[in-house]
Amino acid sequence: KLTYNEFMKNIFLLFLSLVLSSIAYAGAPQLPDDVLSGLTYTEANITKEFPDYMMNVVDKSDGHPVRLGDKSIRFEVRSGDCFDWAIGGSSDCTRYPLIDFQGDRERYELATDVFKKKEHWFSWSIYFPEDYKNNWPLKNLYGQFHEKDGGNVIWSFEQYPNGIVLTKEKGLGGTEMKQFTVLGNNELPGKWHDFLIHAKFSKNDDGFLKVWVNDKLMADYRGITESTGKVFHKFGIYRTGITRFHNQNNLEGLNKCIKENEGLSWAETAVRAFSNNWEVNFNWSKVLYEKCNSYYDEIEIPTDIVYYDEVRRADSCEGLGLLHDCANLAILNQKQLMLVDKIKSQANKKILAKVGKKNKKEVKGWVDTRVNIWTEEPNFFQQLGSSKSRKEALNSFIAEGIQKFK
């Protein structure tokens, strides 16, 4: 027979287990193998319970886009979707008096635990709806490699005025920031885009990160790739620059406000920065907004929606599934691809000018095949390093084509 104290202890333990299980469930969304494998994701850092619309596993039977299988993950961030962090008492919400490096953000992200120290292969597919619009100077992040014990973003897929850019942040081992444009604005809406990443996160020069997008090698970086030894992945929608958006879309009010309060030169600097689409420092932008928002028209921040599917990690490319042709990954970077396309275009044009367009299809097939074989030669790009050598090689190639089809 239980004593009163033992009975109360059991009641307390039962209550505690229920509370802890409910907390674990709130931070651990149920993500099926249909959409994700190889890593476990939880809600990133945030304490408040999220609105239901912000993240859902959806089904193609309900009209949602799906890359493979039956399901995908839908993220949505609306105006005002900012929350407090679970660690450090920080907040994505802008509060007054202003605190540097806090606020001016809205997000819903999922995050992993720290990766094991080895090479990794990652993949995910991302879909932007047909009505997608780049709302710069909102800077949306659609995936980050982040560090613990320092809290730094080290690699991120960010929205800039021209499209989606992979950014290596400044400061890794004293290195400078480096950026690679991986998708242009006109490519984004209404279609799936497949990302494939091979990475070794290292504090030394043996690190690397290679990124293929839609089977094209868009980034090939070698060198220091992290600084703390504790790297993890986040994805979803993370948008920064809320006050930048308001300031830039109220230039007339901003100009009037600063002229009346700070003087002409300061007004010209601020208005010029926003007029030229510069990435204005967000601490400065928050100060401007606090000072000038009474001069502004009320503008609602647009809603952002994005879908992810096939979010996977493995020890090899083949371990990621059937979406990627691992045996035939593109080995050429974007600059090299542009050179190859230029050679093909010039050769086609000049050969057809001599032999006539009746052989257009055959000439194109021959040129494509020959140039593709040519690029596999070990010294192909070294041979074409100068404009003179490129011209000589191209003229010889064109002459061979004319002789074949005349």
Side-chain angles (χ1 to χ4, degrees), residues 51-55 74-81 106-108 127-136 138 140 142 159 236-239 242 245-246 299-307:
D52 290 342
Y53 60 79
M54 294 195 76
M55 192 284 293
R74 181 186 186 274
F75 291 85
E76 179 176 341
V77 173
R78 301 176 185 175
S79 182
D81 283 338
E106 297 169 343
R107 74 170 104 188
Y108 185 105
Y127 180 94
F128 297 89
E130 293 184 1
D131 60 354
Y132 163 83
K133 182 181 178 183
N134 185 334
N135 291 306
W136 180 269
L138 282 181
N140 290 10
Y142 296 106
Q159 174 184 278
I237 300 174
Y238 170 27
R239 58 188 194 182
I242 307 303
F245 184 86
H246 285 293
I299 298 174
E300 181 154 339
I301 302 290
T303 294
D304 279 304
I305 295 171
V306 69
Y307 292 81

Side-chain angles (χ1 to χ4, degrees), residues 81 89 99 128 170 196 219 237 254 257 280 292 297 377 383:
D81 283 338
I99 303 173
F128 297 89
K170 180 178 179 180
L196 175 66
I237 300 174
L254 176 65
C257 165
V280 176
C292 296
D297 295 329
E377 295 180 8
Q383 291 172 2

Side-chain angles (χ1 to χ4, degrees), residues 243-352:
T243 60
R244 282 201 302 255
F245 184 86
H246 285 293
N247 290 331
Q248 183 158 315
N249 285 279
N250 280 285
L251 289 179
E252 185 177 340
L254 176 65
N255 193 34
K256 182 179 179 182
C257 165
I258 299 179
K259 281 181 178 178
E260 290 180 3
N261 291 280
E262 301 294 339
L264 182 60
S265 62
W266 219 73
E268 289 176 347
T269 300
V271 172
R272 182 169 68 252
F274 286 110
S275 298
N276 288 316
N277 261 343
W278 296 347
E279 188 176 353
V280 176
N281 177 277
F282 83 106
N283 287 320
W284 186 46
S285 181
K286 289 189 295 182
V287 171
L288 287 173
Y289 181 76
E290 182 183 22
K291 182 182 292 290
C292 296
N293 69 81
S294 62
Y295 290 75
Y296 293 174
D297 295 329
E298 188 173 336
I299 298 174
E300 181 154 339
I301 302 290
T303 294
D304 279 304
I305 295 171
V306 69
Y307 292 81
Y308 292 84
D309 198 357
E310 296 301 301
V311 182
R312 313 209 179 271
R313 194 223 70 88
D315 292 336
S316 66
C317 178
E318 290 77 9
L320 296 171
L322 302 176
L323 189 58
H324 305 281
D325 185 3
C326 298
N328 296 293
L329 290 178
I331 59 171
L332 305 184
N333 63 35
Q334 187 66 7
K335 186 175 181 180
Q336 292 168 332
L337 287 169
M338 290 173 65
L339 176 58
V340 170
D341 287 344
K342 184 177 181 180
I343 290 171
K344 288 180 178 180
S345 175
Q346 290 179 348
N348 268 303
K349 184 177 179 180
K350 292 188 177 183
I351 293 171
L352 290 173

Side-chain angles (χ1 to χ4, degrees), residues 54-188:
M54 294 195 76
M55 192 284 293
N56 286 283
V57 176
V58 295
D59 199 286
K60 66 181 180 182
S61 64
D62 296 319
H64 293 283
V66 168
R67 184 65 179 94
L68 288 179
D70 297 316
K71 300 180 184 300
S72 61
I73 313 172
R74 181 186 186 274
F75 291 85
E76 179 176 341
V77 173
R78 301 176 185 175
S79 182
D81 283 338
C82 65
F83 305 96
D84 296 330
W85 291 17
I87 301 172
S90 195
S91 178
D92 282 348
C93 304
T94 302
R95 297 198 172 101
Y96 301 94
L98 293 170
I99 303 173
D100 283 353
F101 307 109
Q102 290 195 32
D104 220 29
R105 302 175 172 99
E106 297 169 343
R107 74 170 104 188
Y108 185 105
E109 292 182 292
L110 299 175
T112 70
D113 290 331
V114 171
F115 301 144
K116 293 180 179 178
K117 296 288 291 182
K118 58 181 178 179
E119 290 186 22
H120 298 273
W121 286 85
F122 304 94
S123 68
W124 61 81
S125 299
I126 188 168
Y127 180 94
F128 297 89
E130 293 184 1
D131 60 354
Y132 163 83
K133 182 181 178 183
N134 185 334
N135 291 306
W136 180 269
L138 282 181
K139 185 167 80 170
N140 290 10
L141 277 66
Y142 296 106
Q144 309 174 53
F145 291 107
H146 215 283
E147 290 186 315
K148 288 191 174 178
D149 294 349
N152 296 317
V153 181
I154 51 175
W155 295 87
S156 57
F157 293 89
E158 305 176 314
Q159 174 184 278
Y160 274 85
N162 59 324
I164 305 299
V165 173
L166 170 65
T167 298
K168 181 192 79 67
E169 296 297 337
K170 180 178 179 180
L172 289 178
T175 60
E176 293 299 310
M177 183 175 76
K178 191 169 182 63
Q179 293 186 307
F180 308 83
T181 300
V182 299
L183 284 169
N185 285 326
N186 62 332
E187 302 176 82
L188 294 175

